[in-house]
Amino acid sequence: MNNSFENYNPNSVAEINGNFLGLPDNYDSANLIIFPIPWEVTVSYGAGTANGPQQILNASRQIDLFDFDHPDGWKQGIFMVEIPQDMIEKNNYYRQQAAKIIERQAQGQPLTDSPDLTPILAAINQAGEQVNQWLFTQSQAAMNHGKRVAVIGGDHSSPLGYFQALATQYDNWGILHIDAHADLRNAYEEFEFSHASIMFNAMKIPQISKLVQVGVRDICHDEVQIINQSDERIIGYYDAAIKQQLYAGKTWIDLCREIINHLPEQVYISFDIDGLDPKLCPSTGTPVPGGLELEQVYCLFRELVNSGKKIIGFDVCEVGNGEWDGNVGARIVYKLANFLDLSYQGDDIAVCT
Protein backbone atom coordinates (compact mmCIF):
# COMPACT_ATOMS: atom_id res chain seq x y z
CA MET A 1 0.00 0.00 0.00
CA ASN A 2 1.19 3.54 -0.75
CA ASN A 3 2.13 5.73 2.21
CA SER A 4 -0.63 8.13 1.19
CA PHE A 5 -3.16 5.54 2.39
CA GLU A 6 -1.78 5.13 5.94
CA ASN A 7 -4.58 7.13 7.53
CA TYR A 8 -7.11 6.83 4.71
CA ASN A 9 -10.54 5.40 5.50
CA PRO A 10 -12.16 3.90 2.36
CA ASN A 11 -15.55 3.97 4.11
CA SER A 12 -15.58 7.72 4.73
CA VAL A 13 -16.95 10.50 2.54
CA ALA A 14 -14.74 11.13 -0.49
CA GLU A 15 -12.86 14.41 -0.39
CA ILE A 16 -13.22 17.01 -3.12
CA ASN A 17 -9.51 17.07 -3.86
CA GLY A 18 -9.47 17.08 -7.67
CA ASN A 19 -8.56 13.41 -7.89
CA PHE A 20 -10.59 10.51 -9.25
CA LEU A 21 -12.67 8.89 -6.47
CA GLY A 22 -11.32 11.52 -4.07
CA LEU A 23 -8.31 9.27 -3.44
CA PRO A 24 -5.31 10.84 -1.68
CA ASP A 25 -2.77 9.92 -4.35
CA ASN A 26 -0.61 12.19 -6.48
CA TYR A 27 1.39 11.70 -9.66
CA ASP A 28 4.48 10.41 -7.84
CA SER A 29 2.70 7.95 -5.54
CA ALA A 30 0.23 6.56 -8.08
CA ASN A 31 0.77 3.46 -10.20
CA LEU A 32 -2.00 4.41 -12.64
CA ILE A 33 -2.07 7.84 -14.27
CA ILE A 34 -5.32 8.90 -15.95
CA PHE A 35 -5.08 11.55 -18.67
CA PRO A 36 -8.32 13.45 -19.44
CA ILE A 37 -8.70 14.62 -23.04
CA PRO A 38 -11.58 17.13 -23.30
CA TRP A 39 -11.67 17.04 -27.11
CA GLU A 40 -14.60 16.60 -29.51
CA VAL A 41 -13.76 18.94 -32.37
CA THR A 42 -14.95 16.58 -35.12
CA VAL A 43 -18.14 15.35 -33.46
CA SER A 44 -20.72 14.84 -36.19
CA TYR A 45 -23.95 14.37 -34.23
CA GLY A 46 -24.51 15.18 -30.55
CA ALA A 47 -22.03 17.36 -28.67
CA GLY A 48 -20.99 17.25 -25.02
CA THR A 49 -18.38 14.49 -24.78
CA ALA A 50 -15.63 17.08 -24.21
CA ASN A 51 -17.22 17.46 -20.77
CA GLY A 52 -17.04 13.71 -20.19
CA PRO A 53 -13.85 13.87 -18.09
CA GLN A 54 -15.41 16.45 -15.75
CA GLN A 55 -18.65 14.48 -15.45
CA ILE A 56 -16.67 11.32 -14.64
CA LEU A 57 -14.57 13.15 -12.06
CA ASN A 58 -17.64 14.66 -10.41
CA ALA A 59 -19.50 11.33 -10.27
CA SER A 60 -16.50 9.35 -9.07
CA ARG A 61 -16.76 10.78 -5.56
CA GLN A 62 -20.12 9.02 -5.13
CA ILE A 63 -18.75 5.54 -5.86
CA ASP A 64 -18.18 3.12 -3.00
CA LEU A 65 -14.69 1.69 -3.17
CA PHE A 66 -15.45 -1.98 -2.50
CA ASP A 67 -15.21 -3.84 -5.81
CA PHE A 68 -16.35 -7.47 -5.92
CA ASP A 69 -13.64 -8.26 -8.47
CA HIS A 70 -10.83 -6.50 -6.60
CA PRO A 71 -11.76 -5.36 -3.06
CA ASP A 72 -8.34 -3.77 -2.52
CA GLY A 73 -8.19 -2.16 -5.96
CA TRP A 74 -8.43 1.33 -4.46
CA LYS A 75 -5.02 0.77 -2.88
CA GLN A 76 -3.19 0.46 -6.19
CA GLY A 77 -2.62 4.22 -6.48
CA ILE A 78 -4.77 6.10 -9.00
CA PHE A 79 -4.20 9.69 -10.02
CA MET A 80 -6.15 11.73 -12.57
CA VAL A 81 -4.20 14.57 -14.11
CA GLU A 82 -5.89 17.96 -14.01
CA ILE A 83 -8.16 18.55 -17.01
CA PRO A 84 -6.17 20.83 -19.37
CA GLN A 85 -8.02 24.12 -19.57
CA ASP A 86 -6.13 25.26 -22.64
CA MET A 87 -7.30 22.11 -24.43
CA ILE A 88 -10.90 22.94 -23.51
CA GLU A 89 -10.50 26.43 -24.97
CA LYS A 90 -8.96 25.09 -28.19
CA ASN A 91 -11.68 22.47 -28.41
CA ASN A 92 -14.41 25.08 -28.15
CA TYR A 93 -12.80 27.24 -30.83
CA TYR A 94 -12.04 24.49 -33.33
CA ARG A 95 -15.41 22.84 -32.74
CA GLN A 96 -17.06 26.01 -34.08
CA GLN A 97 -14.71 25.99 -37.07
CA ALA A 98 -15.39 22.32 -37.79
CA ALA A 99 -19.14 23.00 -37.80
CA LYS A 100 -18.62 25.25 -40.85
CA ILE A 101 -16.96 22.39 -42.72
CA ILE A 102 -19.62 19.87 -41.73
CA GLU A 103 -22.39 22.25 -42.81
CA ARG A 104 -20.71 22.94 -46.17
CA GLN A 105 -20.42 19.22 -46.85
CA ALA A 106 -24.05 18.64 -45.86
CA GLN A 107 -25.02 21.16 -48.53
CA GLY A 108 -23.06 19.18 -51.12
CA GLN A 109 -20.69 22.05 -51.83
CA PRO A 110 -16.88 21.81 -52.09
CA LEU A 111 -14.75 23.34 -49.36
CA THR A 112 -12.99 25.45 -51.98
CA ASP A 113 -16.14 27.47 -52.67
CA SER A 114 -16.08 31.02 -51.35
CA PRO A 115 -15.21 31.43 -48.59
CA ASP A 116 -12.52 28.78 -48.99
CA LEU A 117 -12.62 26.48 -45.95
CA THR A 118 -9.54 24.39 -46.75
CA PRO A 119 -7.27 26.53 -44.52
CA ILE A 120 -9.70 25.89 -41.64
CA LEU A 121 -9.58 22.14 -42.34
CA ALA A 122 -5.77 22.21 -42.29
CA ALA A 123 -5.79 24.10 -38.98
CA ILE A 124 -8.20 21.58 -37.43
CA ASN A 125 -6.06 18.65 -38.55
CA GLN A 126 -2.99 20.37 -37.12
CA ALA A 127 -4.79 20.98 -33.82
CA GLY A 128 -5.70 17.29 -33.66
CA GLU A 129 -2.08 16.35 -34.26
CA GLN A 130 -1.03 18.64 -31.40
CA VAL A 131 -3.43 16.85 -29.05
CA ASN A 132 -2.00 13.51 -30.19
CA GLN A 133 1.54 14.74 -29.61
CA TRP A 134 0.72 16.07 -26.14
CA LEU A 135 -0.78 12.74 -25.10
CA PHE A 136 2.09 10.82 -26.70
CA THR A 137 4.64 12.83 -24.73
CA GLN A 138 2.75 12.67 -21.44
CA SER A 139 1.90 8.97 -21.61
CA GLN A 140 5.37 7.97 -22.74
CA ALA A 141 6.92 9.92 -19.86
CA ALA A 142 4.57 8.23 -17.39
CA MET A 143 5.36 4.77 -18.74
CA ASN A 144 9.09 5.52 -18.64
CA HIS A 145 8.62 6.18 -14.91
CA GLY A 146 7.01 2.77 -14.47
CA LYS A 147 3.43 4.06 -14.47
CA ARG A 148 0.40 2.49 -16.10
CA VAL A 149 -1.70 4.84 -18.19
CA ALA A 150 -5.39 5.30 -18.97
CA VAL A 151 -7.22 7.92 -21.04
CA ILE A 152 -10.65 9.49 -20.56
CA GLY A 153 -12.17 11.22 -23.60
CA GLY A 154 -13.59 13.30 -25.13
CA ASP A 155 -14.62 11.73 -28.37
CA HIS A 156 -13.02 8.52 -29.55
CA SER A 157 -10.19 10.29 -31.38
CA SER A 158 -8.75 11.02 -27.93
CA PRO A 159 -6.43 8.02 -27.30
CA LEU A 160 -4.42 8.02 -30.57
CA GLY A 161 -1.34 9.61 -29.01
CA TYR A 162 -1.40 6.91 -26.32
CA PHE A 163 -1.62 4.20 -29.00
CA GLN A 164 1.49 5.69 -30.57
CA ALA A 165 3.29 5.75 -27.21
CA LEU A 166 2.38 2.11 -26.50
CA ALA A 167 3.88 1.20 -29.87
CA THR A 168 7.26 2.35 -28.53
CA GLN A 169 6.89 -0.05 -25.58
CA TYR A 170 5.30 -3.16 -27.12
CA ASP A 171 6.09 -4.88 -30.43
CA ASN A 172 2.93 -6.97 -30.72
CA TRP A 173 -0.36 -6.04 -29.09
CA GLY A 174 -4.05 -6.04 -29.81
CA ILE A 175 -7.05 -3.83 -29.15
CA LEU A 176 -10.27 -5.12 -27.65
CA HIS A 177 -12.71 -2.50 -28.90
CA ILE A 178 -16.19 -2.02 -27.40
CA ASP A 179 -18.25 0.25 -29.65
CA ALA A 180 -21.47 0.71 -31.59
CA HIS A 181 -19.30 1.86 -34.52
CA ALA A 182 -16.30 0.39 -36.30
CA ASP A 183 -14.49 3.77 -36.49
CA LEU A 184 -12.67 2.60 -39.62
CA ARG A 185 -13.49 5.56 -41.85
CA ASN A 186 -10.59 7.19 -43.67
CA ALA A 187 -10.55 10.85 -42.59
CA TYR A 188 -14.31 11.02 -42.06
CA GLU A 189 -15.71 14.36 -43.25
CA GLU A 190 -12.08 15.10 -44.30
CA PHE A 191 -10.92 15.35 -40.68
CA GLU A 192 -7.75 13.28 -40.39
CA PHE A 193 -8.31 12.67 -36.68
CA SER A 194 -12.06 12.23 -36.72
CA HIS A 195 -13.77 10.33 -33.92
CA ALA A 196 -14.97 7.99 -36.69
CA SER A 197 -11.39 7.35 -37.86
CA ILE A 198 -9.66 6.29 -34.65
CA MET A 199 -9.36 2.62 -35.56
CA PHE A 200 -8.45 3.40 -39.18
CA ASN A 201 -5.57 5.46 -37.76
CA ALA A 202 -4.74 2.75 -35.23
CA MET A 203 -4.36 0.22 -38.03
CA LYS A 204 -1.54 2.37 -39.43
CA ILE A 205 0.51 1.36 -36.37
CA PRO A 206 2.29 -1.88 -37.32
CA GLN A 207 2.75 -3.00 -33.71
CA ILE A 208 -1.04 -3.42 -33.41
CA SER A 209 -1.43 -6.95 -34.70
CA LYS A 210 -5.13 -7.44 -33.99
CA LEU A 211 -8.28 -5.39 -33.58
CA VAL A 212 -11.31 -7.23 -32.17
CA GLN A 213 -14.49 -5.16 -32.25
CA VAL A 214 -17.49 -6.07 -30.09
CA GLY A 215 -20.99 -4.61 -30.23
CA VAL A 216 -20.75 -2.85 -33.60
CA ARG A 217 -24.18 -2.13 -35.08
CA ASP A 218 -23.80 1.07 -37.13
CA ILE A 219 -21.32 0.62 -39.97
CA CYS A 220 -20.78 1.67 -43.58
CA HIS A 221 -19.95 -0.44 -46.65
CA ASP A 222 -16.32 0.71 -46.79
CA GLU A 223 -15.76 -0.32 -43.18
CA VAL A 224 -17.22 -3.79 -43.76
CA GLN A 225 -14.91 -4.14 -46.77
CA ILE A 226 -11.89 -3.09 -44.68
CA ILE A 227 -12.75 -5.74 -42.08
CA ASN A 228 -13.38 -8.45 -44.67
CA GLN A 229 -10.14 -7.69 -46.52
CA SER A 230 -7.95 -7.36 -43.40
CA ASP A 231 -6.80 -11.01 -43.49
CA GLU A 232 -8.30 -11.35 -39.99
CA ARG A 233 -6.19 -8.55 -38.57
CA ILE A 234 -9.61 -7.04 -37.76
CA ILE A 235 -12.34 -9.28 -36.32
CA GLY A 236 -15.90 -8.00 -36.02
CA TYR A 237 -18.41 -9.30 -33.48
CA TYR A 238 -21.47 -7.44 -34.67
CA ASP A 239 -24.25 -6.81 -32.19
CA ALA A 240 -26.90 -8.53 -34.34
CA ALA A 241 -24.76 -11.66 -34.74
CA ILE A 242 -24.01 -11.74 -31.01
CA LYS A 243 -27.70 -11.52 -30.16
CA GLN A 244 -28.65 -14.18 -32.71
CA GLN A 245 -26.13 -16.63 -31.22
CA LEU A 246 -27.38 -15.92 -27.71
CA TYR A 247 -30.98 -16.41 -28.79
CA ALA A 248 -29.96 -19.75 -30.33
CA GLY A 249 -28.59 -20.93 -26.99
CA LYS A 250 -24.88 -20.13 -27.12
CA THR A 251 -23.67 -18.87 -23.76
CA TRP A 252 -22.12 -15.46 -23.34
CA ILE A 253 -19.17 -17.03 -21.51
CA ASP A 254 -18.41 -19.19 -24.54
CA LEU A 255 -18.65 -16.17 -26.81
CA CYS A 256 -16.33 -14.20 -24.51
CA ARG A 257 -13.73 -16.94 -24.63
CA GLU A 258 -14.02 -17.12 -28.41
CA ILE A 259 -13.52 -13.35 -28.67
CA ILE A 260 -10.48 -13.44 -26.39
CA ASN A 261 -8.86 -16.27 -28.32
CA HIS A 262 -8.43 -13.90 -31.27
CA LEU A 263 -6.27 -11.52 -29.21
CA PRO A 264 -2.49 -11.63 -28.69
CA GLU A 265 -0.91 -11.87 -25.25
CA GLN A 266 -0.86 -8.10 -24.68
CA VAL A 267 -4.23 -6.36 -24.94
CA TYR A 268 -5.39 -2.77 -24.84
CA ILE A 269 -9.07 -2.06 -24.06
CA SER A 270 -10.73 0.79 -25.95
CA PHE A 271 -14.21 1.38 -24.53
CA ASP A 272 -16.54 3.71 -26.40
CA ILE A 273 -19.50 3.96 -24.05
CA ASP A 274 -21.96 3.91 -26.96
CA GLY A 275 -21.17 0.21 -27.28
CA LEU A 276 -23.59 -0.15 -24.37
CA ASP A 277 -27.36 -0.06 -24.51
CA PRO A 278 -28.08 3.70 -24.77
CA LYS A 279 -30.20 3.60 -21.60
CA LEU A 280 -26.79 3.56 -19.88
CA CYS A 281 -25.37 6.46 -21.92
CA PRO A 282 -28.25 8.62 -23.23
CA SER A 283 -26.09 11.72 -23.70
CA THR A 284 -23.31 10.06 -25.71
CA GLY A 285 -22.48 11.66 -29.04
CA THR A 286 -23.85 9.01 -31.40
CA PRO A 287 -26.25 6.67 -29.57
CA VAL A 288 -27.49 3.57 -31.41
CA PRO A 289 -30.34 1.25 -30.35
CA GLY A 290 -29.28 -2.19 -29.16
CA GLY A 291 -25.92 -2.79 -27.59
CA LEU A 292 -24.43 -4.54 -24.60
CA GLU A 293 -25.32 -4.57 -20.93
CA LEU A 294 -22.59 -3.35 -18.60
CA GLU A 295 -22.26 -6.68 -16.80
CA GLN A 296 -21.85 -8.42 -20.16
CA VAL A 297 -18.84 -6.25 -20.86
CA TYR A 298 -17.44 -6.78 -17.36
CA CYS A 299 -17.83 -10.53 -17.89
CA LEU A 300 -15.79 -10.24 -21.09
CA PHE A 301 -13.07 -8.34 -19.23
CA ARG A 302 -13.03 -10.91 -16.41
CA GLU A 303 -12.51 -13.67 -18.93
CA LEU A 304 -9.70 -11.64 -20.47
CA VAL A 305 -7.96 -11.37 -17.09
CA ASN A 306 -8.56 -15.04 -16.33
CA SER A 307 -7.13 -16.03 -19.72
CA GLY A 308 -3.71 -14.90 -18.55
CA LYS A 309 -3.39 -12.24 -21.24
CA LYS A 310 -2.01 -8.93 -20.01
CA ILE A 311 -4.01 -5.71 -20.13
CA ILE A 312 -1.52 -2.95 -21.02
CA GLY A 313 -3.83 0.09 -20.92
CA PHE A 314 -7.31 1.37 -21.59
CA ASP A 315 -9.46 4.31 -22.57
CA VAL A 316 -13.07 5.26 -21.87
CA CYS A 317 -14.51 7.64 -24.46
CA GLU A 318 -17.71 9.33 -25.65
CA VAL A 319 -19.16 9.80 -22.16
CA GLY A 320 -21.77 12.52 -22.56
CA ASN A 321 -22.36 15.70 -20.62
CA GLY A 322 -24.95 14.25 -18.27
CA GLU A 323 -24.94 13.26 -14.62
CA TRP A 324 -26.10 9.70 -15.31
CA ASP A 325 -23.56 9.28 -18.10
CA GLY A 326 -20.82 10.45 -15.76
CA ASN A 327 -22.01 8.00 -13.10
CA VAL A 328 -21.80 5.05 -15.49
CA GLY A 329 -18.54 6.28 -17.00
CA ALA A 330 -16.87 6.68 -13.61
CA ARG A 331 -17.81 3.13 -12.64
CA ILE A 332 -16.33 1.82 -15.90
CA VAL A 333 -13.08 3.70 -15.32
CA TYR A 334 -12.74 2.31 -11.79
CA LYS A 335 -13.61 -1.23 -12.90
CA LEU A 336 -11.09 -1.10 -15.74
CA ALA A 337 -8.43 0.26 -13.37
CA ASN A 338 -9.03 -2.76 -11.13
CA PHE A 339 -8.98 -5.24 -14.01
CA LEU A 340 -5.72 -3.64 -15.18
CA ASP A 341 -4.22 -4.02 -11.71
CA LEU A 342 -5.35 -7.66 -11.45
CA SER A 343 -3.88 -8.34 -14.86
CA TYR A 344 -0.50 -6.97 -13.77
CA GLN A 345 -0.64 -9.10 -10.62
CA GLY A 346 -1.51 -12.20 -12.64
CA ASP A 347 -4.47 -12.98 -10.37
CA ASP A 348 -7.58 -14.83 -11.49
CA ILE A 349 -10.97 -13.33 -10.64
CA ALA A 350 -13.64 -15.15 -8.65
CA VAL A 351 -16.43 -12.58 -8.66
CA CYS A 352 -19.03 -12.29 -5.89
CA THR A 353 -17.50 -14.97 -3.66
Side-chain angles (χ1 to χ4, degrees):
M1 184 191 297
N2 294 314
N3 291 333
S4 56
F5 288 114
E6 277 187 17
N7 299 312
Y8 184 76
N9 180 2
N11 304 296
S12 63
V13 176
E15 293 184 14
I16 302 176
N17 60 5
N19 193 21
F20 183 69
L21 302 169
L23 293 172
D25 253 305
N26 56 46
Y27 188 98
D28 292 331
S29 66
N31 288 310
L32 174 63
I33 307 298
I34 301 173
F35 290 105
I37 307 294
W39 192 258
E40 59 166 359
V41 168
T42 67
V43 64
S44 50
Y45 190 53
T49 60
N51 292 322
Q54 187 65 56
Q55 289 289 351
I56 287 173
L57 178 62
N58 292 346
S60 72
R61 294 192 296 269
Q62 303 302 317
I63 296 176
D64 286 322
L65 295 181
F66 185 91
D67 178 10
F68 286 100
D69 291 304
H70 192 10
D72 290 333
W74 60 275
K75 298 179 182 179
Q76 67 183 277
I78 302 171
F79 178 70
M80 180 172 168
V81 172
E82 184 177 355
I83 299 171
Q85 293 302 307
D86 62 332
M87 193 178 294
I88 293 176
E89 293 171 5
K90 289 180 180 178
N91 171 78
N92 294 341
Y93 171 76
Y94 285 111
R95 175 73 194 101
Q96 294 176 348
Q97 301 303 306
K100 299 176 184 177
I101 292 174
I102 294 170
E103 182 179 2
R104 177 76 62 84
Q105 291 176 332
Q107 294 169 347
Q109 298 174 352
L111 298 184
T112 51
D113 280 2
S114 182
D116 185 357
L117 298 182
T118 54
I120 293 178
L121 176 63
I124 290 170
N125 287 337
Q126 183 178 20
E129 176 57 37
Q130 290 171 348
V131 172
N132 296 338
Q133 186 58 48
W134 180 87
L135 182 57
F136 173 86
T137 301
Q138 296 294 324
S139 54
Q140 188 178 58
M143 288 188 289
N144 287 342
H145 283 91
K147 311 290 188 183
R148 308 162 195 163
V149 171
V151 171
I152 299 176
D155 71 33
H156 210 165
S157 70
S158 299
L160 183 58
Y162 182 27
F163 291 176
Q164 294 164 340
L166 283 169
T168 69
Q169 305 279 329
Y170 300 97
D171 294 330
N172 175 20
W173 52 286
I175 298 177
L176 176 57
H177 176 204
I178 309 299
D179 206 323
H181 311 87
D183 291 347
L184 288 167
R185 292 176 179 265
N186 182 3
Y188 183 57
E189 296 178 325
E190 299 192 43
F191 300 119
E192 183 179 358
F193 304 111
S194 168
H195 66 101
S197 303
I198 179 63
M199 294 306 163
F200 183 90
N201 291 327
M203 292 293 92
K204 296 177 183 178
I205 300 173
Q207 290 87 347
I208 301 176
S209 60
K210 188 75 74 168
L211 170 63
V212 180
Q213 304 184 300
V214 182
V216 172
R217 54 196 185 276
D218 198 10
I219 191 169
C220 74
H221 289 80
D222 284 346
E223 291 174 303
V224 172
Q225 186 174 30
I226 287 172
I227 294 169
N228 291 343
Q229 295 180 352
S230 70
D231 196 24
E232 296 194 342
R233 188 182 178 207
I234 307 173
I235 303 290
Y237 278 85
Y238 303 118
D239 190 58
I242 288 172
K243 300 289 174 53
Q244 194 71 15
Q245 291 185 65
L246 294 178
Y247 300 153
K250 190 165 186 175
T251 70
W252 178 240
I253 286 286
D254 285 340
L255 260 176
C256 289
R257 291 168 181 168
E258 179 184 315
I259 290 166
I260 291 162
N261 282 339
H262 290 291
L263 290 161
E265 291 305 305
Q266 294 163 325
V267 180
Y268 177 95
I269 295 173
S270 190
F271 197 149
D272 185 325
I273 201 170
D274 70 28
L276 299 173
D277 185 310
K279 69 176 180 287
L280 295 165
C281 51
S283 301
T284 191
T286 47
V288 184
L292 301 164
E293 294 296 335
L294 190 53
E295 280 300 336
Q296 280 184 295
V297 182
Y298 288 168
C299 177
L300 175 61
F301 296 161
R302 286 186 196 103
E303 290 303 306
L304 176 62
V305 173
N306 288 339
S307 75
K309 298 180 190 293
K310 183 180 180 182
I311 302 173
I312 60 174
F314 69 86
D315 65 71
V316 177
C317 293
E318 303 279 356
V319 172
N321 188 25
E323 184 176 349
W324 173 245
D325 301 71
N327 184 313
V328 175
R331 294 174 189 279
I332 293 170
V333 172
Y334 184 42
K335 181 66 80 170
L336 278 170
N338 287 339
F339 284 143
L340 177 62
D341 190 51
L342 287 167
S343 177
Y344 267 78
Q345 294 178 19
D347 291 347
D348 285 348
I349 302 173
V351 69
C352 299
T353 58

